[in-house]
Amino acid sequence: MIEEELIRLRRHFHKYAEPAWMEFLTTAKIIEELKNYNLDLYYGKEIYFNKRMGLPEKSILESYKNSISISDIEKKEEILDSYTGLIAVLDTKKIGPNIGFRFDIDANELCESNSLGHLPNILNFSSKNSFAMHACGHDAHMSIGIELAKILASNIKKLKGKIIFIFQPAEEGVRGAYSLMNNPIIDKLDYLAGMHIGMDVKSGEIGVGSHGFLATKKIDIIFKGKASHAGASPEKGHNALLAASSAVLNFNSLAQHSMGEARINVGKLNAGSGRNIIANKAKIEMEIRGENDHIISYLYDGVNRIVEGSAISYDCSYEIEIKGQAPSLISYDEEFIKNLRNYYKEKSYKLVDANLKGSEDIAYLLNEVRKAGGKTVHFILGSNLKDSHHSEEFDINEKDMLRGVNLMVDFVKYIEKIDKIDYERVENENIAYRI
Amino acid sequence: MIEEELIRLRRHFHKYAEPAWMEFLTTAKIIEELKNYNLDLYYGKEIYFNKRMGLPEKSILESYKNSISISDIEKKEEILDSYTGLIAVLDTKKIGPNIGFRFDIDANELCESNSLGHLPNILNFSSKNSFAMHACGHDAHMSIGIELAKILASNIKKLKGKIIFIFQPAEEGVRGAYSLMNNPIIDKLDYLAGMHIGMDVKSGEIGVGSHGFLATKKIDIIFKGKASHAGASPEKGHNALLAASSAVLNFNSLAQHSMGEARINVGKLNAGSGRNIIANKAKIEMEIRGENDHIISYLYDGVNRIVEGSAISYDCSYEIEIKGQAPSLISYDEEFIKNLRNYYKEKSYKLVDANLKGSEDIAYLLNEVRKAGGKTVHFILGSNLKDSHHSEEFDINEKDMLRGVNLMVDFVKYIEKIDKIDYERVENENIAYRI
Amino acid sequence: MIEEELIRLRRHFHKYAEPAWMEFLTTAKIIEELKNYNLDLYYGKEIYFNKRMGLPEKSILESYKNSISISDIEKKEEILDSYTGLIAVLDTKKIGPNIGFRFDIDANELCESNSLGHLPNILNFSSKNSFAMHACGHDAHMSIGIELAKILASNIKKLKGKIIFIFQPAEEGVRGAYSLMNNPIIDKLDYLAGMHIGMDVKSGEIGVGSHGFLATKKIDIIFKGKASHAGASPEKGHNALLAASSAVLNFNSLAQHSMGEARINVGKLNAGSGRNIIANKAKIEMEIRGENDHIISYLYDGVNRIVEGSAISYDCSYEIEIKGQAPSLISYDEEFIKNLRNYYKEKSYKLVDANLKGSEDIAYLLNEVRKAGGKTVHFILGSNLKDSHHSEEFDINEKDMLRGVNLMVDFVKYIEKIDKIDYERVENENIAYRI
Amino acid sequence: MIEEELIRLRRHFHKYAEPAWMEFLTTAKIIEELKNYNLDLYYGKEIYFNKRMGLPEKSILESYKNSISISDIEKKEEILDSYTGLIAVLDTKKIGPNIGFRFDIDANELCESNSLGHLPNILNFSSKNSFAMHACGHDAHMSIGIELAKILASNIKKLKGKIIFIFQPAEEGVRGAYSLMNNPIIDKLDYLAGMHIGMDVKSGEIGVGSHGFLATKKIDIIFKGKASHAGASPEKGHNALLAASSAVLNFNSLAQHSMGEARINVGKLNAGSGRNIIANKAKIEMEIRGENDHIISYLYDGVNRIVEGSAISYDCSYEIEIKGQAPSLISYDEEFIKNLRNYYKEKSYKLVDANLKGSEDIAYLLNEVRKAGGKTVHFILGSNLKDSHHSEEFDINEKDMLRGVNLMVDFVKYIEKIDKIDYERVENENIAYRI
C-alpha cells in the first residue's frame, strides 16, 4: 500500500533526522529507495553549480560523521563532504515537457521533545540525534517525493517528456537552493512545482500558487577588538561587545520602507570571555526580510554601513558573512495558475488561499524557471499540526501524505494534457550532464 | 579711596557685562582708565599670535555692535573685530625681573536674576545685557588689575624690571589664552601670577599655588543627513538625529582611563526641524576633560572615531570644531611655591589648600612661562559668595577685592626681594613689539 | 466670475496665512464672505465638543494677537481664544439628506520663500507672516468651500435637505477634527465629503474615494533630570539628554508589525543648556503612524514603555503629551463609491487612483458619519504643483480650483438624485443647536 | 630541603588545579600535609559564617566530582558540598598575640597552554583539568603557607600566642573572603598578613603594605522576554537581546565620579537562540569597581536602575545576582607599616612600592581586623613572571617561594618582638569554636 509506504519512509527519516548539509544517511536512503527504478540519479558534486552557504561547524560535523556508518555507495566521499541531496530524472524518451518537482530533505537544529504526549516517542521513531529534528515536515516531503517517483517510474509508458525530482538539501536557513541554481537540469525545466505541508492549512485542504514569499538574507557578523584588563587598563581595550550592542540597536532604524514590509532581527549575540576583560570578540546572528529585492538591498546596505560605523567607533575590525538567502517570488503566470486552480476544483480538491508568510529558497528555482520562460507553482498540502512549525512537539497528520502524492500525480496529468510546447528542439538536447 | 575705586570699577564692569570676544566697551574702559598712567598699552591685532577659537555667532555679534557706541580710540575697528583685551607694560627702565599678572575680563552667557534679593538689582548695577552677566567674578579681577597697575605705576621709582598686566578676553569656554600664546611679551616673563576670586575659599583666606587644573577641549559637532517625509518615504532620509543620539550614547564608553580622571559630557543636543520629517541636521555641544594631556588625546581620538562611525552608520556627513581648549598644568617650581607660602604666612595671610576643581586656560600661559624657565603661581582670593559660580544670583563680597590688590603688591615686593637673575642680558632686549 | 472670485479669495488667504489655532483673520474673513447669504453660521465655543490638542505656545500666540486687528464680530473673544473655524448650514426647509463638506483652513508653520521664481512674490500675495505659509493648499480649499456655499445658497430652491459646510481649523498636526467630533451637526450627516488639492494627482484628473489614510499620533515627550557641573560633580546630575537619546534609539525597535505598515519618527530633539552642564531637560517631538488602530495602540504602548524605562534608567521624570491624532479610515461603502466613480466618469471627469499616502484628521469625521450609518467619500483634486507639499515654494495651479467647485456641485446633484432615505423622521429633528 | 618541598607542593597543586568552590583535592591535600603537625585544623561548614557567592554551575560541579576520588577524611561530604578551604591554628598555650596569615587556594577558569615553551608541559606538571589552571600563583601561596605552618609548628617552643593560617577558597571572582567573615577566629586576630606573588614586582624585591585595592562587585544579570517568529509576528516578541544591548550601552554613563576612579565593564553577553526568533533571554556578566564604597554604591544603584529601565522598555523581567564582591581597604596603621618597612630594610630586603592595581577580597578580612583594633599588612612577593597574571602561559620563578616563607617567618619574629598588648584578658578567651 502506498499509504503504508509513506508512513514507513516518513518515520525512518524522522528517526534519522539530519540538519542542513549533514543529510548523509538521508541522501543514502533516497538513493537506496530509488536505485532500482527506471530513474537516472545525479548526486554529489555534479549537481552543484554555486557555492554552498552556511556550512556546519567543523567540530559538530566531524563528531557526527564519526558516529554514523554509511554503506558503500558511489561518491560516498562527496556526500560526506556535504554535497548532499540528489536529482532523479525519469526520461520517457518521448517528446514532451520537462516537469520538475522539488522536495526539501533537511531537519531543524532542534532537540525533539521527550514528552509522552508526543507520538514519535510512543511509537519509537523520535529523532536519534539531539541536535536535529524534523519539525517542519521535510520528512513527509521526501517520502511523498520518493513515492511519487516510484509511481511515475512504474507508469513510464503512459508518460511523455522528462520528469525531474529534486531532493534539495539545506532549505532551513535558506541555504541549499542557491547552490543548485544554474544547474542545466533545472535550467531546462518547462514546469516546476514545489510543495509544503502544514502552514496553517487544515487537513483536507490545499493551496495552489502560494504567495507571500519574503526575500531574505541570513547574516553572521563578527566584530574583533582587543582584550585588556577592565580594571587596570580599560583604555587599552577595543570593545567588540559594545560595537555589537551599538550595531544591534542601530539596525532597527532600517525597518521602515515605503515599498512594503521590512524585517530585521538579531536573534543571537554572543560576546566576550570574562567579566573583568574588555571583550575582544562578538558574534551576531541575524536575518533581514523584505517584500521585494529592493527592500533587501536597502536593508543589506544599511546593515553593512552600521557594522562598518560601529566597528570604526570602537576601533574594531569586522567580518560579514551571508549564511543563507532567498529572493522574493517574481510572480506566477496568472493564467496558468487560474486554470490550474479550476482543474483542481473540478477534481474536488478543497482550495484555500495559500499565503506562505515566510521565506523559502525554492523561490530561487521558481524564479529561474520563470525567467527562462517556464511555468511554476507552489502548493500547500494542508495538515492538522500538533504544534507549530519549528516547535519541539511539531507533528503532522500522516494520513495527509497520500493526498500530497495524488496532488503531484494530478499535476503531471494536467501538464501532459495541456502542454502545447513544440519539443522538436528539445528532443535533440540532453537535459542532463551525462549521456 | 582704593576700596571705593575698586567698587566703582567692579560695578561698572558688572553693569556693562560682555561675553567672550565681545568685550568692546570693557576693553575701551580699561584703556580709558590706564591711558593717563606711565604704562605702554598694547591691544588690537598686535597682541594676537594664534587663531581665536569659538568666536560668537554673526547675528548676535552684529546686533550687539549696533546697540553700543564706543568713543573714538585708536584701533577701534580692530577691537570691534573681536581683537579684544589688552596688555599694559610698566617699564621701570631699571634692570630687573619681568613680572606678569593675568586678569580675565569676559562675562558669562547668562541672564542675570531680576530678584530683589540680588544686590545688583537693588543698587542698580545689574547687567544691562540679557545675554551676559559677570557670574564668575571677572569684573572683580579686572578692577583689581586696574588698581594694581595704577598703584605700581604711581610707585615706579621704587621698582625695577618690568611689570606686565595681561587683560585676557574669552576665558569662559577656555578660548582666549590660546590666542595670546607665543606672544613675545609673555615669552619673556620671568614670573607669572594668575588669580581667581571665590572658588569655595572663604573671605579672609587665600590659596597659593592652585592645583587640580583639568586639561579640556570644548567641541562642537554637526551631523548633516538628508530630510525626507517620515510617513511616505522613511527610507530616503539620512537621519542625523539618530546619528547624534547614537554618538552621544557611545561617547560614554571613553570615560575610563588608568592614568586618572577622564570626563566627557554632551551638554547640548539640538536636532531636526519637524516631527514628520527625518531630521537632516543635528548639533552636539560637548566637552572633554582629563587629568593630563594623554587622557585628552585618548578622549579626543575616541570622539572623532565615534563621530565618524556614527556618521557612516547613518550615511551622514559631519564637522568637528574645537571651540575652546586648555591644557593641564605642567607643575610648579615646588621650592618657589613653598617659600612663597611661607612669605604670605609670615605676612599674616590665612592660607588654605587651593584646589581649582576645573579647567582654566591660564594653564597655557603658566606652562609657556615654566617651559621657558620662568616661575609661576596661581592664587585663589577667598570671598563669601552669595551663590555658586555661573549661577544667576552669583555675587562676591566686594570688600575682598582690596585684599586681592594687596596680595599682588606683596607678590611684586617678594619677587623684587628674592630675584637673583642676571639681567645684563635682558637689559639689551626689548620685550615689547614696539620701541 | 467664479474663477476670479476663487483667485481673489485664495490670494487673500495665502497672504494672511495663519497656522493652527491661530486662524483669527481667516475665520473672520469666512464669516464676512458668507454672512450675507442664506446660511446659518455657527462658530466659537458652540461648535467644539472635545478638547483642542496642540494649542500654540503662549508667547507666539500673544505676540501675533497683538499684531493684528479684527473688526468687531460676534464672539470675537472666543475666536481669539483659539475657538477658530466655523460651520455654515444651508437649510432648504425641505425634506432631504444632510450633506456635509469639510474644508481645512490652517497654514503650515513655515517661512515662505522670498525667491523671485516664486509667483506669490511677484504678484505680491506671499505670506505676511514669517511663521506661516499656505504650503498645503488649504487656502484653495477654503476658497472652493466659500464659493460652493455661495452657489448652493443662491440655488436653494432647486435643493432639498440641508447642506453643511465645515471650515475646520488645525488640520496640520491632525489636531482640529478631533475637537469637532460628537458635534450634533456632524452626527446627523447622511453624507460627508472631503477634498484635498494636489497629492501627486495632475491638473485635470481627480481621485474619488481616497484610501491609504494612516492612523497617527503626534506626541511630545519631556524628560526632566537634574543639572550638575560635568567636570566637578558628574555623578550628581540626572542626565535628561542621555535618557532622551536612549529612548530615541530604542523607539525604532517598535517599527515591525505583522498587521501592516508601522512608522515611528522622532523629528526633533532639543536638550541641555550648556556644554559643561549635565543636561536637566530634553524635549522630543515625534509621531507614530500605522495602517490600523491596532498598530497605533501597539506603537503608543511601546513609546510609553520606552519613555518610562529610559526615565528610570537616568533617574528622570517625564511627561508625555498627545499633540494631535487621526485614526485610519474604517472603510467606505464600496457600492456607493463604485457608483459615484461611474457617475463622474460619465460626466467626463478623468479619474485616477487616489492614494493619500499620509494621515488626515478628516478620518475622524468620515468614521463618525459611517458609524452612524451615513455614506462618505474623500476626493483628490488634481493640480500641477510647483513644489511638493510643505515646501517653501509650494504653489498650486489656480485654474484647478474651479474644477473643485464643479466636483462638489456635481456631488450634491448626484446625492439629491440617488438619495432614497425616508426623511419623515428627520423632518422633526433639528440638526443644529439653535432654533 | 624547604625549597624542594615548596617546589614539590607547588607542582602538585599546579597539576591538580581546581577552580573556586571546587578545591576538593586541594583541601584534602592541605589537610594531609598538616594533620601530623601540632595544629588544630578547622574546615567544612564550621568555618563559614556568611553565604557563599558565585557557586559553580551544577553540571560542571557534578561532572568534576564524578571524575575524582578523595580518600576518606572527616567531613568529606561537607567539603564536596563546596565548603572548601581550612583554617589551621597553632596554639602555643602561652600568652601572646593572635597572628593570622591568609593564603588563597583556588585556580583560574582557564585552559593551560600546551606549548612546549611552557615549563609545566616539559616537566609534566601542567593542569590535568582543561577548565582550571593556576595562572595567578595561588599554588605558590598555598605551598608557602603549608611550609610556614610546618616550620612554625616545629618551633612552637620559641613562640607565644596563637598563629592562624587561613587557607581561603574562591579568591578569583572575589567570592571566598566574604563567606569567612564574622568568623570568631578571624575576629580575634591581633595581626593579619596577606601576600601575593608577582604583581609586576621583580624577583628579589618585596612590597610591604600594598595599597590600591579597588572595591568591586561582580554581577550577573538575566533579562527574560518572550520569543516569537521574527518574520511572522515580530510584535509578539519581548526582545531580551535588545534590552541587554541597551542596558550595556547605558551602563557607561555611570563611569564618571568626582570621588575617584570608577570602573564598569560588561565582559560577557550571551543572548538569543536563533536568528529568526525574537530573543527571549539574555545574560550579562559584568563588574563594577571603585576607589571607595561610595562609588560602588553609586555604580550599583545605577546598574539596578538601568536594568530596571531597560527591562521596562522591552517588557521583560530580570534578575540581578551578585556573584562576588570585595571592599576597598579602609587603610593601614601608618606607624605600624612605616616601622615594619624599616625592619625589613634593616634585614636587607629590597623594598618597592606595592600598588596592587586591582581588587582582592582579603580587603574584607583586613578591614574586619582593623575595625576590631588589630593591625594589618599585605605583602607583594616579587617574582619574574613568564607571562602576565591570568594568561595561559603564566609561570612564576619557583626560587622566589623560599623568600616568601622567610618574609612570613620574619613577620612573626617582628610581631613577637614588638607586641605590647596586654593579653591577660585574652588568656581567658578561646579563639576557636571547639575546646
Side-chain angles (χ1 to χ4, degrees), chain C residues 387-398:
Chain C
D387 203 345
S388 57
H389 288 271
H390 295 201
S391 77
E392 58 179 9
E393 298 209 1
F394 174 85
D395 201 4
I396 59 163
N397 182 344
E398 292 177 330

Side-chain angles (χ1 to χ4, degrees), chain A residues 38-40 89-94 156 161-163 430 435:
Chain A
N38 194 8
L39 294 157
D40 299 319
V89 177
L90 174 62
D91 188 348
T92 65
K93 312 288 184 187
K94 283 174 278 179
I156 188 164
K162 295 189 182 71
I163 303 179
N430 284 310
I435 306 172

Side-chain angles (χ1 to χ4, degrees), chain A residues 180-389:
Chain A
L180 303 182
M181 282 178 76
N182 306 126
N183 186 319
I185 295 181
I186 293 166
D187 281 358
K188 284 166 193 156
L189 291 175
D190 301 302
Y191 299 91
L192 176 60
M195 190 207 73
H196 207 295
I197 198 166
M199 310 303 288
D200 292 339
V201 175
K202 288 180 208 153
S203 290
E205 300 176 341
I206 60 160
V208 175
S210 312
H211 54 89
F213 292 80
L214 292 173
T216 189
K217 276 193 186 351
K218 313 302 183 188
I219 308 165
D220 277 8
I221 296 158
I222 292 173
F223 287 99
K224 285 184 186 163
K226 196 172 151 220
S228 77
H229 192 274
S233 51
E235 76 278 11
K236 285 184 188 144
H238 297 188
N239 200 319
L241 187 153
L242 289 177
S245 296
S246 182
V248 160
L249 282 183
N250 285 314
F251 285 153
N252 286 323
S253 65
L254 301 168
Q256 307 181 50
H257 200 288
S258 63
M259 293 174 78
E261 295 295 311
R263 296 273 181 278
I264 189 158
N265 186 54
V266 173
K268 286 182 82 172
L269 170 54
N270 289 292
S273 58
R275 73 177 78 241
N276 63 337
I277 305 294
I278 303 290
N280 69 340
K281 197 177 159 192
K283 184 178 180 193
I284 284 170
E285 296 180 43
M286 69 182 299
E287 62 167 27
I288 54 177
R289 299 183 196 236
E291 251 180 82
N292 61 44
D293 297 340
H294 287 288
I295 298 175
I296 286 293
S297 292
Y298 170 77
L299 291 170
Y300 189 59
D301 289 353
V303 166
N304 273 273
R305 231 174 36 235
I306 288 169
V307 168
E308 185 190 349
S310 304
I312 286 172
S313 292
Y314 286 96
D315 217 351
C316 291
S317 62
Y318 66 91
E319 292 161 19
I320 299 180
E321 194 184 351
I322 295 174
K323 304 296 274 190
Q325 61 186 4
S328 57
L329 197 64
I330 55 172
S331 82
Y332 292 115
D333 178 317
E334 284 185 30
E335 195 66 18
F336 175 72
I337 294 292
K338 192 177 148 195
N339 292 335
L340 191 60
R341 280 191 185 132
N342 288 334
Y343 167 75
Y344 279 109
K345 271 181 212 161
E346 281 163 21
K347 290 205 145 239
S348 301
Y349 283 89
K350 202 172 160 194
L351 267 65
V352 294
D353 181 48
N355 190 335
L356 203 80
K357 287 177 191 160
S359 305
E360 237 284 10
D361 64 0
I362 194 176
Y364 270 126
L365 307 179
L366 297 173
N367 287 349
E368 190 176 5
V369 170
R370 277 282 289 158
K371 279 180 198 160
K375 291 185 171 54
T376 61
V377 66
H378 190 265
F379 295 97
I380 294 183
L381 174 61
S383 189
N384 293 338
L385 305 178
K386 294 302 185 310
D387 203 346
S388 59
H389 289 270

